[in-house]
Amino acid sequence: MDEQYKNNGAVWQTLLIKAEASSRVAQLRLIKANTARREALTQISRLDDLLVEYKRAHSQVLREASDTFLVSNYRQFVSQLEGIKAQASESLSNFETECETARRNLKSVDVERQKMESLASKASKMQKRLVEYRDTKVVEAENLIRHNMSNL
């Protein structure tokens, strides 16, 4: 029976180690997703700045009406920037979904890790109580033997 509790404690410690590893993996996924989301936000911000700049330049070229080819090039470039921004916004949406999924996964994995910590702690306490109980019984048996030997 003593061996069973010892093995049981080792099992819980192994499961705890596995749960902690899963938690670290989930944390890394969340960090990666947040990093990608921040990069997408930065890209959209840069595209917004470029759009403002080139729309302003396009407006100025239109006012001057000097070169229709140049006006057409600005219009085409602004249109391309808007397309790229739409793609970046879609990517941002995907990254935000990925972040939320990673957050939920991390929460779930952490709940499991906490369960394993609790069970491993209980198993450890049970093992300590068993050892204390066994040691107490050994001491009592030795004292009984000494008492019986002294009465002879």
Side-chain angles (χ1 to χ4, degrees):
M1 186 164 152
D2 188 26
E3 194 63 32
Q4 177 187 358
Y5 283 110
K6 185 181 275 187
N7 290 339
N8 195 15
V11 168
W12 289 117
Q13 284 300 323
T14 301
L15 290 172
L16 175 59
I17 290 168
K18 184 177 177 185
E20 288 171 342
S22 294
S23 180
R24 283 189 296 278
V25 167
Q27 288 171 349
L28 290 174
R29 283 187 183 142
L30 179 57
I31 290 168
K32 183 179 176 183
N34 276 326
T35 300
R37 185 183 63 79
R38 278 192 302 275
E39 288 172 357
L41 284 169
T42 301
Q43 182 182 22
I44 288 172
S45 176
R46 288 183 191 143
L47 286 169
D48 282 338
D49 293 344
L50 281 172
L51 276 167
V52 167
E53 179 182 336
Y54 279 95
K55 281 181 178 180
R56 191 177 308 130
H58 178 249
S59 294
Q60 184 159 349
V61 168
L62 276 174
R63 276 192 303 265
E64 294 172 1
S66 58
D67 188 358
T68 57
F69 181 71
L70 186 60
V71 169
S72 175
N73 281 346
Y74 270 104
R75 186 177 309 125
Q76 184 179 10
F77 186 68
V78 167
S79 176
Q80 289 173 344
L81 281 176
E82 287 172 342
I84 292 169
K85 182 181 175 195
Q87 290 174 350
S89 294
E90 186 177 326
S91 291
L92 175 61
S93 177
N94 292 338
F95 290 135
E96 287 175 342
T97 300
E98 192 176 320
C99 282
E100 187 56 37
T101 301
R103 236 180 253 111
R104 282 193 308 270
N105 183 42
L106 177 59
K107 185 176 181 179
S108 171
V109 168
D110 273 346
V111 166
E112 280 301 308
R113 181 188 51 78
Q114 289 171 353
K115 285 180 190 176
M116 292 304 132
E117 282 178 351
S118 174
L119 292 169
S121 175
K122 285 179 183 178
S124 176
K125 288 176 184 175
M126 178 76 84
Q127 178 64 26
K128 286 178 184 174
R129 279 187 292 211
L130 183 65
V131 168
E132 288 172 2
Y133 176 77
R134 189 187 59 221
D135 289 347
T136 302
K137 288 297 180 185
V138 167
V139 169
E140 286 176 359
E142 288 173 353
N143 288 339
L144 185 60
I145 290 171
R146 280 190 202 117
H147 177 72
N148 288 338
M149 295 291 276
S150 68
N151 286 340
L152 289 178

